[in-house]
């Protein structure tokens, strides 16, 4: 009992350093979900009429749907009428530049290590920062504009480039796709929009940082990336939320469109608040991410490091429509305490000579459950398709679970599909060797886990790889002994 | 009630059979859960349209000639789901009697059959006419020959419980031949007691009948259960094979080979559950899909909590031999213990062009080369059959088909 309250809090802070709250006045619309609320969100964003119609259509469809229960998850009932569907930090006028943004907001992102201001110049990454339901600022817009790249918030895109949005929104993830995609289509409040023109290599990494701050809210962002023929872009995404006792909902939709010979690389480090040691609080992360390799020779690559969230339900997918198109999925999912994750990918091969690769690493500790769920489908007309899947699970502790549910559907005789999966604990011999070299048990586990995840980390942009490694180490603290 | 339920559930419960309580339970669960459809996860690749379209007649008497088997043993012949052998003439160590209603009633079927996904298990409980209890002691060979004649257009629901006593040894051959167009829905439970050994071989050749079977095996401490299934396809076949390893030191192994051709659909759902630690299991399954055949394999390894030192491996390799054939596989791992090793590997591919070229360069025709390659691929899981005579018999049949 010698530990003081401060020491305990210090440890908690260390475990989830992003768990602070920003004391800022919020502009919220009343809780509940009905057509009036949707009209209010649309009005607040000054959206064109067709957008409101689109939202209402999605909402009416959502009313006919049931919460999915097929995942290996125990999802408590969510009261969709108790949530606030729109919350934004109060600002008198829409800021025209980052200098006009409330310093408290800037401070928040600064504390989270997101380079919004002068540091942005050093980091060389363009950032769109989303706070609750709105984007607070996007950096480097001018520089990107010179290259012809559009990188802005979804709200801004609806004002400035409505035709582009209208052409592509919902074309990869239609509102009828699933329960949470329908909900998002009805109430999405912001997100990022990226357009890379023909034969353009985006001059810098693009990044969005999502932050939930307000209480009793859900975050429903929508991201749309369009890569015109011959273009190339790398996009990074990060997210955090304060530590709260109640659960909060995050239901995002990400749509990627890669046209002929275009390449999109989408990396995520997901660090939503996972809840405390007893499973109280945390974010429900129900996300639909899908990329459409529409053109021949196009390529979409998903890399994700999932350490946060109380419940993760997420399957970043690729549809290989173009000939010789390629899809990749690299994932590390770590669950600890009472976290639950059901994550994986779908690789749908429609085009001839298309290829896909899946590398998934799951680590379960504490009382958590971690599932890989993946689908590889080879359509009847897709000849010479090649897929390779590897999913490995690591168990740390006796009370956790690691599961693998791969679906393989082959309808073309020339398909070559390979899948392998293993589940094991950390090798005693590896642990013993590390300890004999002077590492303590926790360091040894961190080192072994790092090695286990290496294949995925090497796919991440350098800054993210460092962050991901540190996150894993922190998330694993207390899992040994 | 769905059309399928109406079609299959018309007969009222017969209160004079002694099985009325268990029939009622089956009927009640079936009414409660209904039959699976494409949205039922366990049935997503196997539609029941064939069954829905089919009209069933009353069973008629027929006699099908039996083939010969490579080993001597007790032959129990089930003609159209009804036992025709005389249980009184069995040798010592093999006892066959109707299952007592008490014994049937004791079992908790809910965790075994679940809900909608186990509808055919419930249907069997609701409608079986005969339920036999086979008890084995000592070293025995039993051949269960199930035949459906050409005129078979009925629905039958045979039920069998096999108890293999401690330290006993059983060679069990299930020879299943269908020439009809009805529905056979078999439920078989096998209890392998402590230190007993069972070598189980299933040889199946179906025609137009819908063949639904579930085999639930409990393996006790230090016991050994190995099953090899050679399935030559059928209009619609679904086999749920569940091996529950319940005692330390026990071993469970499944080997399977499925050959598919035009208008055939075969779905195997296997589960190996490690309920305790210090147990081993292995599974290897191969599909060769030709014509417009559809093959489905759902292979699950389930390691329960506190089952440390469990080791399991599942391997499935599959060949797509035609543009219209399809293969859907789902190897699952569900692991709740730490000190275990569990793995699975799955591949779908084609015959190796290089090997075929080599064979042709050695003077073989393309057809001969293909047959040889297919045989080499298909024979591997069947090589695991322990008894040489049975192994050669199965391989002989395989050669004939390829």
């Amino acid at each position: 009992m010698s530990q003081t309250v401060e020491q305990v809090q210090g440890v908690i802070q260390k475990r989830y350093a992003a768990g602070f709250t920003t004391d800022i006045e919020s502009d919220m619309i009343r809780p509940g979900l009905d057509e009036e609320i949707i009209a209010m969100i649309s009005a607040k964003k000054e959206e064109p009429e067709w957008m409101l119609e689109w939202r209402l259509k999605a909402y009416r469809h959502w009313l006919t749907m049931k919460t999915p229960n097929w995942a290996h998850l125990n999802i408590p009932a969510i009261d969709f009428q108790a949530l606030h569907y729109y919350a934004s930090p109060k600002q008198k006028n829409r800021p025209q530049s980052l200098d006009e943004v409330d310093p408290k907001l800037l401070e928040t992102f600064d504390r989270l290590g997101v380079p919004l201001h002068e540091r942005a110049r050093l980091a060389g990454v363009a950032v769109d920062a989303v706070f609750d339901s709105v984007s607070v600022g996007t950096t480097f817009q001018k520089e990107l504009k010179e290259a012809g790249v559009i990188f802005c918030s979804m709200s801004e895109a609806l004002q400035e480039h409505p035709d582009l949005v209208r052409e592509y929104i919902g074309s990869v993830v239609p509102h009828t796709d699933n329960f949470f995609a329908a909900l998002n289509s009805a109430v999405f409040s912001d997100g990022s929009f990226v357009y890379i023109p023909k034969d353009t290599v985006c001059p810098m990494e693009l990044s969005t940082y999502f932050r939930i701050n307000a209480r009793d809210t859900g975050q429903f962002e929508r991201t749309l990336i369009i890569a015109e023929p011959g273009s190339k872009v790398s996009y990074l995404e990060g997210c955090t939320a304060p530590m709260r006792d109640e659960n909060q909902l995050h239901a995002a939709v990400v749509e990627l469109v890669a046209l002929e010979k275009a390449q999109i690389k989408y990396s995520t480090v997901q660090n939503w608040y996972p809840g405390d040691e007893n499973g109280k609080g945390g974010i429900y992360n129900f996300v639909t991410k899908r990329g459409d390799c529409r053109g021949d020779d196009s390529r979409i690559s998903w890399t994700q490091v999932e350490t946060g969230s109380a419940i993760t339900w997420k399957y970043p997918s690729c549809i290989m429509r173009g000939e010789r198109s390629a899809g990749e999925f690299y994932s590390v999912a770590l669950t600890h305490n009472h976290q639950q994750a059901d994550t994986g990918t779908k690789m749908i091969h429609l085009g001839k000579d298309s290829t896909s690769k899946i590398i998934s690493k799951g680590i379960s500790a504490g009382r958590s459950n971690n599932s890989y769920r993946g689908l590889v489908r080879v359509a009847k007309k897709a000849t010479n398709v090649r897929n390779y899947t590897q999913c490995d699970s690591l168990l740390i502790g006796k009370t956790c679970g690691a599961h693998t549910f791969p679906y393989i559907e082959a309808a073309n005789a020339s398909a070559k599909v390979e899948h392998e999966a293993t589940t094991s604990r950390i090798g005693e011999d590896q642990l013993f060797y590390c300890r004999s070299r002077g590492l303590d048990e926790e360091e040894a586990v961190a080192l072994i886990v790092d090695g286990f995840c290496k294949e995925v980390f090497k796919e991440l942009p350098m800054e993210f790889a460092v962050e991901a490694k540190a996150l894993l180490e922190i998330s694993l603290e207390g899992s040994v002994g | 009630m769905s059309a399928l339920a109406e079609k299959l559930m018309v007969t009222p419960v017969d209160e004079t059979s002694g099985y009325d309580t268990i029939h009622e339970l089956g009927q009640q669960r079936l009414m409660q859960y209904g039959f699976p459809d494409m949205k039922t996860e366990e049935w997503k690749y196997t539609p029941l349209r064939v069954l829905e379209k089919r009209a069933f007649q009353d069973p008629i008497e027929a006699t099908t000639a039996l083939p010969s088997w490579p080993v001597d043993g007790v032959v129990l012949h089930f003609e159209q789901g009804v036992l025709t052998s005389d249980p009184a003439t069995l040798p010592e160590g093999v006892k066959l009697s109707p299952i007592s209603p008490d014994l049937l009633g004791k079992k908790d079927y809910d965790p075994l059959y679940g809900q909608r996904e186990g509808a055919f298990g419930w249907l069997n409980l609701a409608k079986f006419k005969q339920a036999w209890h086979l008890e084995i002691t000592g070293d025995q060979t039993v051949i269960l020959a199930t035949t459906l004649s050409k005129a078979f257009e009925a629905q039958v629901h045979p039920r069998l419980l096999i108890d293999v006593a401690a330290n006993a040894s059983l060679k069990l051959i299930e020879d299943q031949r269908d020439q009809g167009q009805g529905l056979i829905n078999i439920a078989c439970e096998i209890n392998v007691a402590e230190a007993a050994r069972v070598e189980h071989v299933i040889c199946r050749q179906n025609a137009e009948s819908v063949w639904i079977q579930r085999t639930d095996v409990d393996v006790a401490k230090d016991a050994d259960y190995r099953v090899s299934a050679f399935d030559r396809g059928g209009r619609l076949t679904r086999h749920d094979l569940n091996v529950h390893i319940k005692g330390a030191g026990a071993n469970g192994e499944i080997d399977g080979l499925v050959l598919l051709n035009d208008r055939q659909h075969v779905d195997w759902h296997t589960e190996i559950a490690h309920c305790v630690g210090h147990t081993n299991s292995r599974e290897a399954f191969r599909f060769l899909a030709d014509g417009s055949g559809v093959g489905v394999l759902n292979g699950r390894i389930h390691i329960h909590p506190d089952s440390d030192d469990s080791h399991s491996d599942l391997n499935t390799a599959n060949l797509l031999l035609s543009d219209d054939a399809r293969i859907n596989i789902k190897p699952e791992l569900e692991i709740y213990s730490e000190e275990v090793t569990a793995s699975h590997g799955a591949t779908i591919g084609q015959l190796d062009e290089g090997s075929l070229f080599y064979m042709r360069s050695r003077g073989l025709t393309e057809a001969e080369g293909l047959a040889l390659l297919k045989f080499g691929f298909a024979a591997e899981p069947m090589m695991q059959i322990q008894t040489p005579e049975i192994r050669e018999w199965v391989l002989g049949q395989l050669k004939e088909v390829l």
Side-chain angles (χ1 to χ4, degrees):
Chain A
M1 292 299 286
S2 60
Q3 278 180 320
T4 63
V5 175
E6 283 89 322
Q7 275 174 314
V8 172
Q9 275 175 349
V11 171
I12 294 170
Q13 280 296 324
K14 195 180 162 202
R15 290 260 171 90
Y16 193 71
F20 62 90
T21 322
T22 308
D23 185 16
I24 193 163
E25 233 183 306
S26 270
D27 176 14
M28 272 196 193
I29 53 177
R30 67 168 168 85
L33 183 55
D34 49 42
E35 295 200 3
E36 192 189 40
I37 291 275
I38 293 166
M40 278 158 82
I41 296 172
S42 191
K44 274 202 180 282
K45 305 206 145 292
E46 298 163 21
E47 286 175 355
E49 186 60 30
W50 63 264
M51 194 68 237
L52 175 62
E53 283 308 314
W54 194 80
R55 285 172 179 275
L56 289 173
K57 203 167 146 194
Y59 171 70
R60 286 168 200 146
H61 186 78
W62 177 75
L63 288 175
T64 66
M65 300 174 97
K66 282 185 189 155
T67 325
N69 60 1
W70 44 260
H72 196 82
L73 298 170
N74 178 18
I75 307 174
I78 300 167
D79 183 359
F80 290 97
Q81 295 303 333
L83 290 176
H84 290 274
Y85 287 85
Y86 184 89
S88 72
K90 245 186 195 158
Q91 287 171 8
K92 278 174 201 132
N93 297 309
R94 195 191 165 94
Q96 292 307 305
S97 77
L98 276 174
D99 301 329
E100 294 173 27
V101 173
D102 190 325
K104 267 191 192 162
L105 283 177
L106 293 179
E107 195 191 304
T108 303
F109 284 101
D110 203 37
R111 255 179 99 177
L112 294 168
V114 181
L116 272 190
H117 226 264
E118 70 276 11
R119 282 173 47 207
R121 315 249 148 230
L122 296 172
V125 177
V127 181
D128 179 29
V130 178
F131 194 86
D132 290 332
S133 304
V134 292
S135 164
V136 296
T138 311
T139 61
F140 283 110
Q141 270 186 322
K142 207 177 114 213
E143 289 82 347
L144 289 168
K145 213 172 183 178
E146 279 166 17
V149 173
I150 304 170
F151 178 43
C152 60
S153 69
M154 194 55 117
S155 317
E156 220 175 313
L158 273 164
Q159 304 295 332
E160 312 281 331
H161 315 282
D163 294 343
L164 269 179
V165 177
R166 193 171 186 176
E167 186 182 343
Y168 288 102
I169 196 167
S171 71
V172 185
V173 181
H175 68 266
T176 49
D177 193 80
N178 68 68
F179 183 84
F180 295 108
L183 177 68
N184 175 286
S185 304
V187 301
F188 78 89
S189 41
D190 221 328
S192 300
F193 175 82
V194 178
Y195 175 83
I196 316 288
K198 203 173 171 202
D199 297 326
T200 305
V201 176
C202 186
M204 62 186 79
E205 307 256 359
L206 305 182
S207 163
T208 302
Y209 198 92
F210 297 101
R211 174 77 177 168
I212 296 179
N213 186 61
R215 194 174 275 279
D216 302 325
T217 54
Q219 193 177 56
F220 306 91
E221 85 273 1
R222 198 165 179 110
T223 298
L224 176 58
I225 300 179
I226 304 149
E228 288 280 1
S231 65
K232 197 174 170 183
V233 62
S234 167
Y235 180 92
L236 324 168
E237 172 192 70
C239 35
T240 54
M243 294 196 281
R244 291 229 169 81
D245 282 350
E246 87 257 22
N247 297 104
Q248 283 181 286
L249 176 63
H250 172 250
V253 169
V254 175
E255 296 178 281
L256 312 182
V257 180
L259 299 171
E260 205 183 331
K261 291 185 180 156
Q263 292 185 25
I264 303 176
K265 185 176 172 62
Y266 195 106
S267 314
T268 306
V269 173
Q270 186 262 102
N271 185 25
W272 293 115
Y273 178 51
D276 67 10
E277 301 82 59
N278 303 314
K280 207 166 184 197
I283 303 285
Y284 293 162
N285 190 33
F286 302 147
V287 178
T288 308
K289 291 184 169 179
R290 193 170 304 152
D292 192 352
C293 292
R294 244 170 239 188
D296 294 349
D297 302 293
S298 55
R299 171 184 288 265
I300 288 178
S301 170
W302 298 99
T303 308
Q304 62 170 20
V305 176
E306 303 278 319
T307 60
S309 297
I311 305 176
T312 302
W313 179 97
K314 182 181 172 190
Y315 314 92
S317 313
C318 295
I319 301 168
M320 272 71 69
R321 217 179 283 277
E323 290 183 14
R324 297 172 301 282
S325 57
E328 289 173 347
F329 174 76
Y330 300 93
S331 168
V332 167
L334 182 143
T335 53
H336 192 194
N337 296 327
H338 289 261
Q339 277 176 278
Q340 304 175 65
D342 194 300
T343 183
T345 185
K346 283 195 236 177
M347 292 291 173
I348 316 283
H349 292 266
L350 303 176
K352 290 174 187 164
D353 302 307
S354 54
T355 58
S356 63
K357 184 176 176 184
I358 301 170
I359 306 283
S360 167
K361 307 278 179 179
I363 302 149
S364 320
R367 295 179 168 278
S368 68
N369 269 300
N370 197 335
S371 309
Y372 166 82
R373 186 180 300 275
L375 166 70
V376 175
R377 177 181 290 155
V378 182
K380 193 164 164 38
K381 288 184 180 163
T383 47
N384 296 321
V385 161
R386 186 84 176 80
N387 161 268
Y388 174 72
T389 303
Q390 185 191 335
C391 45
D392 299 323
S393 304
L394 202 58
L395 288 151
I396 305 172
K398 293 196 180 297
T399 46
C400 53
H403 322 297
T404 315
F405 307 102
Y407 297 68
I408 305 167
E409 302 173 4
N412 186 291
S414 62
K416 281 197 173 68
V417 183
E418 287 173 82
H419 172 102
E420 47 183 298
T422 60
T423 303
S424 59
R425 64 174 307 207
I426 287 184
E428 289 285 347
D429 49 343
Q430 292 172 332
L431 213 53
F432 179 78
Y433 176 78
C434 291
R435 298 212 57 192
S436 74
R437 293 276 149 186
L439 297 176
D440 69 27
E441 200 165 344
E442 229 162 59
E443 285 169 334
V445 168
L447 190 71
I448 294 165
V449 168
D450 185 41
F452 177 73
C453 302
K454 207 169 144 192
E455 272 175 282
V456 176
F457 285 172
K458 77 176 192 318
E459 295 299 321
L460 283 170
M462 213 257 283
E463 302 82 354
F464 259 39
V466 174
E467 190 188 334
K469 188 170 174 260
L471 255 179
L472 275 198
E473 277 169 23
I474 292 166
S475 304
L476 275 172
E477 259 174 30
S479 63
V480 180
Chain B
M1 198 169 25
S2 70
L4 192 56
E6 266 175 42
K7 184 180 290 183
L8 296 174
M9 286 298 298
V10 279
T11 36
V13 173
D14 174 11
E15 286 180 10
T16 57
S17 67
Y19 294 125
D20 48 327
T21 322
I22 202 83
H23 282 322
E24 251 170 51
L25 173 77
Q27 188 141 352
Q28 189 264 326
R29 291 290 191 274
L30 202 55
M31 300 293 251
Q32 187 181 346
Y33 303 131
F35 278 91
D37 53 28
M38 301 293 275
K39 284 186 179 162
T40 313
E41 178 66 22
E42 302 297 322
W43 288 82
K44 68 180 283 183
Y45 296 119
T46 302
L48 293 169
R49 278 192 300 271
V50 182
L51 207 51
E52 281 159 11
K53 283 184 195 157
R54 200 157 280 187
F56 297 109
Q57 315 298 328
D58 287 334
I60 48 158
E61 276 191 28
T63 323
T64 314
L66 290 178
S68 59
W69 290 280
V71 281
D72 294 330
V74 175
V75 178
L76 299 174
H77 183 197
F78 292 84
E79 176 71 57
Q80 329 229 35
V82 179
L83 182 75
T84 57
S85 314
D86 182 5
T89 58
L90 299 175
E92 199 183 330
V94 181
K95 187 184 162 204
L96 187 69
S97 56
I99 306 180
S100 77
D102 284 351
L103 189 62
L104 260 182
K106 251 191 239 167
K107 185 133 186 159
D108 184 4
Y109 290 97
D110 284 292
L112 199 61
Y113 295 166
Q115 302 186 353
R116 191 177 275 246
E117 66 278 9
F120 288 93
W122 294 120
L123 178 68
N124 181 289
L125 272 189
K127 296 203 70 173
F128 67 83
K129 283 270 186 324
Q130 285 187 340
W132 293 103
H133 187 189
L134 179 64
E135 291 165 271
I136 303 289
T137 49
D139 189 353
Q140 307 294 344
T141 299
V142 174
I143 296 153
L144 298 173
T146 308
T147 51
L148 302 176
S149 72
K150 266 186 184 157
F152 177 72
E153 289 183 29
Q155 49 158 322
V156 290
H157 307 271
R159 191 165 191 93
L160 182 65
L161 168 66
I162 304 174
D163 271 319
V164 184
N167 300 306
S169 170
L170 171 68
K171 287 187 185 71
L172 178 69
I173 301 178
E174 279 193 82
D175 193 325
Q176 307 179 329
R177 287 160 201 251
D178 157 52
Q179 297 173 302
Q181 43 212 318
L183 162 70
I184 182 160
N185 174 29
I186 304 174
C188 177
E189 288 170 37
I190 305 175
N191 296 321
V192 188
E194 208 174 306
R197 303 175 67 81
V198 174
E199 184 182 1
H200 187 180
V201 176
I202 302 169
C203 270
R204 183 184 296 140
Q205 186 178 10
N206 285 354
E208 286 294 310
S209 288
V210 174
W211 193 292
I212 291 177
Q213 181 165 356
R214 65 174 301 142
T215 311
D216 295 291
V217 187
D218 280 359
V219 189
K221 187 168 174 277
D222 297 324
D224 187 64
Y225 173 78
R226 296 176 193 207
V227 55
S228 300
F230 176 36
D231 193 330
R232 289 159 69 176
R235 183 74 188 88
L236 174 61
T237 303
R238 159 77 177 227
H239 197 140
D240 285 73
L241 171 61
N242 306 312
V243 180
H244 300 108
I245 304 177
K246 293 188 164 170
N251 180 48
E253 295 187 15
I254 300 175
D255 286 286
L257 170 66
V258 181
L259 306 181
L260 285 159
N261 220 315
D262 277 333
R263 290 179 70 244
Q264 296 192 328
H265 185 117
V266 174
D267 178 348
W268 274 82
H269 267 59
T270 66
E271 175 174 354
I272 297 177
H274 290 254
C275 306
V276 296
H278 308 290
T279 48
N280 287 301
S281 69
R282 186 189 62 76
E283 178 172 346
F285 229 100
R286 295 192 167 186
F287 279 78
L288 279 81
D290 210 337
S292 58
V294 179
V296 181
L297 172 69
N298 193 115
R300 186 158 177 250
I301 296 170
H302 185 177
I303 301 183
H304 288 256
D306 302 319
S307 304
D308 281 347
D309 194 24
S310 293
H311 305 278
S312 187
D313 177 53
L314 184 156
N315 198 300
T316 172
N318 305 281
L319 283 184
L320 271 171
L321 299 167
S322 104
D323 284 343
D324 294 320
R326 267 186 297 144
I327 290 177
N328 301 316
I329 47 181
K330 189 176 160 211
E332 294 179 46
L333 293 175
E334 206 171 330
I335 315 292
Y336 295 96
S337 278
E338 186 195 18
E339 286 184 43
V340 302
T341 50
S343 58
H344 63 222
T347 59
I348 297 178
Q350 303 74 41
L351 290 170
D352 181 31
E353 294 279 337
S355 305
L356 188 62
F357 179 79
Y358 174 76
M359 288 189 196
R360 298 208 58 191
S361 76
R362 292 275 146 189
L364 269 69
T365 64
E366 190 169 340
E368 284 167 343
L370 276 174
L372 201 58
L373 274 178
K374 279 198 249 176
F375 180 78
F377 177 83
E380 205 174 305
M382 295 300 102
M383 299 296 275
Q384 299 295 329
I385 299 174
Q386 302 286 301
T387 311
E389 296 86 356
I390 305 177
R391 186 172 61 234
E392 290 309 317
W393 174 65
V394 171
L395 291 175
Q397 289 184 51
L398 178 61
K399 247 184 211 147
E400 248 173 58
V401 188
L402 295 177

